[in-house]
Amino acid sequence: MARLFGRRRELAALTAAMEAAARSRGSLLVVTGGIGTGRTALLRALPPLARQRGLRVLSASGAPLERDLALGVVDQLLEPLLPGTAFEPPHDARFLAELLFSVAEFSSREPLLLLVDDLQWADPASLRWLDRLTQRLATLRIVLVVAVREGDPDAEQPRIHGMSDRAAHVLRLEPLSPADTAALVAARLDRPADPVLAAACHQACAGNPLLLTAVLAELAEAGGTFADPAGAVAGLRLPAVRERLLVALDAQPAPVRALAKALALLGDHADPELAGRLAGLDETGRSEAVGALCRLGLFSCGRSPAFVHRYVREAVEESLSPAEQEDGRRRAAVLLHDAGYPAEQAAAQLLATSWCQDGWATEVLRSAATAAVRRGAPEDAARYLRRVLLDGAPSGPERAALLLDLAAIERAFDPAAAVRHVMQALLLLPSAEQRALAVRWIPPALLGGCPPPSVELVAKTAEELSGAPPRAGADREPGLRIEARLRHATVAGPGLLAGSVDRLRALGPTPPLRTAAERELVTVLLHGATVAQRLTAAEVAPLANRILCYEPASPAHVHTALPLLTDTLVAADAIDTVGPWLEAAGEAARRERAPVPQALIGLELTQLMLARGQFARARAQAREVLDLGAARWAPIQSMAAVVRAAIETTDGELTDRLLEAYGESIDHGHSPSMLQLVRASGAAARGDLPTALEYVLDWGRSVERADWRNPAVVPWRTWAAGLWLRMGRAAQAHDLVDEELSRALAWGAPGPVGRAQRVKGELVGGEGGIELLRASMATLEGAVNEMERARTGVVLGQRLRALGRPEEAEAHLRRGRERALACGAPRLAERAARELRELAQSLGPAALTRAERRVAVLAAQGASNKEIATRLAVGTRAVEKHLTQAYRKLDVAGRAELAAVAHLLPSDPQPLG
């Protein structure tokens, strides 16, 4: 027989009753429980037990469609015992008595086990006969076991109650325990139960055998092994049991069905009182309906009755017609609103309806948006406001205000949508002052990526505002913010960068930074001066750091012009202050789980890590930016840090992801397209150096037209020169590098100067090139970029080795390799290692001192350090030192590799032994 779980108590009582009947005393046992509790399974487990004890088994089952068939259940039950008996009407008292006598007489010869499932659906005549039988069981060798579905209206019949009162045992089947659930999981999946999966099954099914069996059947079909067991169980729909649950509910009285539907609409943990009002029930009706659902097994009855499992609620909800859904949810929203429930509960109901144009509905949705923002759920808040807009919010300024509220929320997760909604609001606002206030919701970095008509709309607003009488104090704020955004958006326009420098100087030697708007404008002007190289690094760094002192390290800074401070300070090689500031802002963004601020701060951090030469961290940070979905909403110009990371670290994956995201994009505005550099990186990775060079040169020409002069910001000449060198055409690179070095010296930051000196040193032969490389090393000692020092060290080591200066070459190569490994640049490290190996091979044992040779020979022969020390009469520390130097000079990893080159070593000492 199929194994039962969690029914030891019931089986013990049933087995005892069968053994008593086998001796001489019969009894009645009633098995009861809600839907799916396993009544039928328990009855099916009894025949083998009965036959083992010498009882003959007869069984029958009631059915709703057979209730009009008189004595139908008795016919099923007794036909094997009394074949040929006609059970057709009339069924008078004499006929019933004869049946009873025949059964009693048979049981005197052979004890009987009579099983009747679903007694609540038995026909009236069968119930009468069974009722009479129960009154005589004590004197018969018969065990009668009947199963009754608790909570079914038909189970309330007087005869069924009377039979239950006379029963020797009423066995109410309880839900399975967690241990029994785990045992059933193991049996059905035919392997030891995963504790996480077993716990998920028990929680989802609340120990209900019907639901648990259905869950396990679907899990077994899917393979039964899951990385996320809880998620796998939660995602099941269980269509096999849905119809059975609904049939059981349909059999309930109208008030019970109405309450179930109301609770399904209101969701889990709904207030029963509110559900009763939605169902149109008074307190008494609600209590009776809750009791019926609890007895049926669809409800868990505690302080707050609720559906016992999610599958039940979903089945009830899906059974509602569209009209029932629409009407029920609208009434639920009204009830929630009028009863003072949180606005989001009413809003959730409204979102599921097709019409929300009432004034109170708009109020509810806007209040829900405010609440969602407070709890850190901007996407929910935006959903509420979008529904208000969809259903026809007021026009004109009121609609504009709603659009701006939505844009302020969307900036946290969908900046592109935020900008669109601000632009729509600008068209609805009547005055330039109102439009200027609205523009503050557009992040400056995104305005430049907007289509030209959008930028023109903002420019027109600024023009109208400039024609108004001069303003002071707080009234100046909108004008300063809109000026900052327009200057940033059109930063590459002809002559505009020079105009930014003039505007900055007009603010005086100490520009005012008291307000956020003043700081935004100065930040944009300072960045323009940096890009155009109209000031020096020594001039821009103090002012940029001064601005930073006024600003808290908040994720909100990404929606302003302040990220340009990172650009400026990186270009000036002055990142001591901005580094910790950005780390703190990034940590706050992670706590808030806002993807857009995380991505934008990630761009700044990528730039900072590149400036420090931390290539491994820069690659990881750039990938995180893309993983956060920045490419879906950020224009390619805003992704400059990721583009630089792809180029500087030669990361093919970054390049491919950028090309996939932006390969077909259209550039707006005057800014040189970073897409050209992405394509150059892709071509270089493929080995197509001429195509890569053409892309870089084309971008360089556009940069020059835009007046982007600073090599600390756009080192395109260095990139182009590197490609010329790789192609073996160094002569073409001289003019580019000379111009790069001249501009770097004028800017004054050590990083760009040292980089240009290195590239020029690579182009110049002989001692002149060596001196340039030494100058590069000296310059870079004052820079923050460890990677630039690593590159120069490796190049200098190569040149010194070529000129026959092995010891000096080795020192630079080793230090360059160490720095490259620390920076996460394995290609450069391997290049240095290759040079070191070739250097060691060319020098061989000749590079060793006499003491190092003697120690190496003995070690190659297998002597331990202690034996070598004894033989040479020196300390073991001296042996260790000489051996380490020998390993380094011979470029071997240890004694095993040393033994392999032992034949090259002169044997000064005598062999041991």
Side-chain angles (χ1 to χ4, degrees):
M1 69 174 181
R3 183 182 172 190
L4 286 179
F5 296 90
R7 301 296 179 233
R8 289 176 291 276
R9 177 182 64 87
E10 292 82 359
L11 286 172
L14 291 162
T15 301
M18 287 187 280
E19 290 173 350
R23 292 191 297 269
S24 63
R25 183 176 180 81
S27 60
L28 166 66
L29 294 92
V30 178
V31 178
T32 184
I35 185 171
T37 51
R39 301 178 314 278
T40 300
L42 180 60
L43 264 59
R44 288 175 178 170
L46 298 180
L49 299 176
R51 284 190 283 271
Q52 290 173 8
R53 289 159 178 80
L55 278 71
R56 182 171 181 178
V57 181
L58 304 173
S59 61
S61 178
L65 297 179
E66 296 180 0
R67 296 188 63 188
D68 293 334
L69 183 60
L71 285 185
V73 169
V74 174
D75 187 357
Q76 293 179 57
L77 191 66
L78 301 184
E79 197 278 333
L81 191 66
L82 304 172
T85 301
F87 287 90
E88 289 80 8
H91 302 133
D92 53 20
R94 183 170 175 274
F95 177 74
L96 296 179
E98 289 176 355
L99 286 179
L100 187 58
F101 176 79
S102 298
V103 171
E105 184 181 19
F106 188 92
S107 70
S108 64
R109 300 189 300 273
E110 183 179 6
L112 298 176
L113 171 64
L114 305 183
L115 303 175
V116 181
D117 198 5
D118 288 323
L119 181 68
Q120 73 277 359
W121 293 329
D123 59 277
S126 294
L127 274 177
R128 286 197 304 273
W129 187 85
L130 290 169
D131 185 42
R132 292 181 64 181
L133 173 64
T134 61
Q135 297 174 31
R136 294 189 55 189
L137 282 177
T139 62
L140 302 176
R141 300 172 70 199
I142 297 175
V143 177
L144 173 61
V145 181
V146 298
V148 180
R149 176 186 284 180
E150 190 176 10
D152 192 288
D154 293 319
E156 303 302 318
Q157 298 176 67
R159 278 198 171 86
I160 293 179
H161 278 295
M163 292 171 66
S164 297
D165 291 341
R166 287 191 293 275
H169 295 283
V170 176
L171 305 174
R172 189 177 190 281
L173 302 185
E174 301 294 337
L176 299 180
S177 68
D180 291 323
T181 297
L184 181 56
V185 170
R188 292 303 171 93
L189 298 182
D190 197 25
R191 63 172 177 273
D194 176 357
V196 177
L197 177 62
C201 289
H202 186 75
Q203 181 178 10
C205 302
N208 184 283
L210 170 67
L211 295 178
L212 183 56
T213 302
V215 164
L216 293 175
E218 293 207 18
L219 292 178
E221 188 175 345
T225 302
F226 309 95
D228 178 17
V233 173
L236 297 176
R237 304 293 295 169
L238 303 189
V241 301
R242 178 181 178 277
E243 199 62 34
R244 187 168 172 182
L245 294 172
L246 292 179
V247 168
L249 184 62
D250 286 343
Q252 296 294 314
V256 178
R257 298 197 306 272
L259 182 67
K261 292 177 180 180
L263 281 163
L265 289 172
L266 290 170
D268 293 330
H269 311 298
D271 182 356
E273 181 181 353
L274 187 70
R277 292 168 59 189
L278 182 59
L281 303 176
D282 58 19
E283 184 175 353
T284 301
R286 184 187 75 245
S287 297
E288 291 177 352
V290 168
L293 290 169
C294 288
R295 290 191 298 275
L296 189 60
L298 300 183
F299 261 36
S300 59
C301 294
R303 280 186 172 183
S304 180
F307 287 108
V308 70
H309 2 71
R310 172 179 60 83
Y311 311 120
V312 179
R313 180 183 59 76
E314 290 176 352
V316 175
E317 187 176 357
E318 291 172 8
S319 72
L320 296 172
S321 68
E324 286 178 312
Q325 287 260 9
E326 180 78 10
D327 178 65
R329 293 198 179 279
R330 283 190 58 79
R331 290 190 297 110
V334 173
L335 281 172
L336 289 164
H337 175 64
D338 292 346
Y341 280 81
E344 286 198 76
Q345 292 190 28
Q349 299 293 335
L350 289 173
L351 289 180
T353 65
S354 62
W355 190 82
C356 296
Q357 295 185 23
D358 291 338
W360 70 270
T362 298
E363 177 190 340
V364 166
L365 290 168
R366 296 198 71 163
S367 297
T370 302
V373 169
R374 287 199 190 106
R375 67 177 174 86
E379 294 187 49
D380 289 345
R383 191 158 51 246
Y384 299 139
L385 293 186
R386 286 169 181 167
R387 184 55 190 271
V388 177
L389 288 167
L390 180 65
D391 285 345
S395 60
E398 291 184 45
R399 186 174 182 85
L402 184 62
L403 286 164
L404 293 176
D405 288 345
L406 177 58
I409 293 168
E410 288 174 326
R411 291 192 310 176
F413 65 93
D414 191 354
V419 172
R420 287 197 306 272
H421 289 133
V422 173
M423 293 301 177
Q424 293 170 16
L426 292 181
L427 297 172
L428 300 173
L429 293 169
S431 70
E433 290 80 1
Q434 290 173 309
R435 292 196 293 277
L437 283 170
V439 170
R440 77 183 187 278
W441 295 114
I442 303 177
L446 297 186
L447 183 59
C450 292
S454 297
V455 181
E456 290 168 7
L457 179 59
V458 177
K460 182 180 178 182
T461 299
E463 184 179 345
E464 293 176 10
L465 198 64
S466 65
R471 298 174 180 269
D475 291 340
R476 295 176 59 241
E477 296 285 293
L480 295 177
R481 289 185 185 278
I482 199 169
E483 179 185 356
R485 279 152 180 75
L486 281 172
R487 285 187 179 276
H488 183 51
T490 57
V491 71
L496 288 175
L497 288 180
S500 294
V501 177
D502 295 339
R503 178 75 168 95
L504 180 62
R505 287 177 174 150
L507 295 175
T510 308
L513 303 175
R514 293 182 303 275
T515 68
E518 288 173 336
R519 294 192 291 274
E520 272 206 86
L521 178 58
V522 173
T523 295
V524 171
L525 297 176
L526 192 61
H527 180 258
T530 298
V531 172
Q533 201 174 328
R534 298 304 176 95
L535 297 175
T536 65
E539 291 173 308
V540 302
L543 182 53
N545 277 315
R546 184 168 156 242
I547 296 171
L548 204 61
C549 290
Y550 283 90
E551 294 289 343
S554 165
H557 84 274
V558 301
H559 302 307
T560 71
L562 292 178
L564 296 179
L565 286 178
T566 302
D567 295 0
T568 300
L569 289 168
V570 164
D573 251 0
I575 59 175
D576 291 344
T577 303
V578 74
W581 190 91
L582 270 180
E583 294 286 351
E587 182 58 36
R590 283 188 289 275
R591 286 196 302 270
E592 294 177 7
R593 298 181 181 178
V596 169
Q598 284 187 69
L600 292 175
I601 293 173
L603 287 168
E604 295 180 79
L605 289 170
T606 300
Q607 193 172 9
L608 200 66
M609 292 165 188
L610 289 172
R612 291 172 175 159
Q614 298 169 336
F615 276 21
R617 292 184 64 194
R619 276 192 297 266
Q621 186 65 67
R623 288 172 183 167
E624 183 180 334
V625 168
L626 293 175
D627 291 341
L628 286 166
R632 291 196 300 269
W633 46 263
I636 184 67
Q637 300 306 96
S638 299
M639 300 289 283
V642 178
V643 174
R644 287 285 296 268
I647 294 172
E648 296 278 5
T649 68
T650 61
D651 190 311
E653 179 190 342
L654 281 178
T655 300
D656 292 342
R657 292 180 68 177
L658 287 167
L659 286 171
E660 182 181 355
Y662 294 104
E664 305 299 326
S665 62
I666 299 174
D667 297 312
H668 300 297
H670 302 284
S671 297
S673 174
M674 300 296 292
L675 192 55
Q676 293 291 78
L677 294 181
V678 179
R679 291 167 177 153
S681 179
R686 297 191 304 271
D688 187 357
L689 301 185
T691 299
L693 178 63
E694 186 55 41
Y695 278 129
V696 172
L697 292 175
D698 181 63
W699 192 74
R701 288 188 285 268
S702 67
V703 161
E704 289 300 301
R705 288 193 299 271
D707 205 19
W708 289 18
R709 298 177 51 80
N710 196 331
V713 179
V714 285
W716 68 270
R717 291 177 176 82
T718 298
W719 296 333
L723 289 168
W724 281 122
L725 279 171
R726 289 173 63 185
M727 293 166 62
R729 300 168 64 182
Q732 285 86 343
H734 278 283
D735 290 343
L736 289 175
V737 175
D738 286 342
E739 179 66 19
E740 186 92 337
L741 180 57
S742 174
R743 292 188 181 184
L745 289 168
W747 172 243
V753 173
R755 180 173 58 237
Q757 288 172 326
R758 180 188 69 248
V759 178
K760 186 169 178 62
E762 291 184 83
L763 297 175
V764 176
E767 288 297 329
I770 294 292
E771 289 308 311
L772 282 167
L773 291 170
R774 292 188 192 278
S776 173
M777 286 295 293
T779 301
L780 291 171
E781 288 303 319
V784 297
N785 197 321
E786 188 76 1
M787 187 63 193
E788 292 295 351
R789 287 196 284 273
R791 285 168 169 161
T792 298
V794 172
V795 173
L796 179 56
Q798 287 178 298
R799 294 292 293 275
L800 288 169
R801 178 190 161 224
L803 292 176
R805 302 177 191 176
E807 292 187 1
E808 193 178 359
E810 182 194 24
H812 284 292
L813 287 169
R814 289 197 180 280
R815 185 60 180 145
R817 180 174 178 270
E818 292 169 3
R819 284 172 167 161
L821 289 173
C823 291
R827 292 185 182 180
L828 182 62
E830 176 54 34
R831 176 178 160 191
R834 188 168 55 249
E835 289 286 333
L836 285 168
R837 285 194 296 271
E838 293 175 1
L839 181 61
Q841 291 171 2
S842 65
L843 293 175
L848 304 182
T849 66
R850 185 170 183 273
E852 290 166 356
R853 285 198 303 273
R854 297 182 72 191
V855 170
V857 168
L858 293 171
Q861 293 175 6
S864 67
N865 286 5
K866 185 176 180 180
E867 290 172 331
I868 296 171
T870 302
R871 176 70 180 274
L872 300 180
V874 297
T876 55
R877 293 189 64 182
V879 172
E880 292 170 359
K881 177 182 176 183
H882 291 318
L883 197 55
T884 298
Q885 291 294 327
Y887 289 159
R888 180 178 63 79
K889 291 180 179 180
L890 294 173
D891 196 34
V892 297
R895 288 173 181 265
E897 293 185 16
L898 182 64
V901 297
H903 62 285
L904 301 176
L905 299 171
S907 52
D908 287 355
Q910 294 298 317
L912 291 174

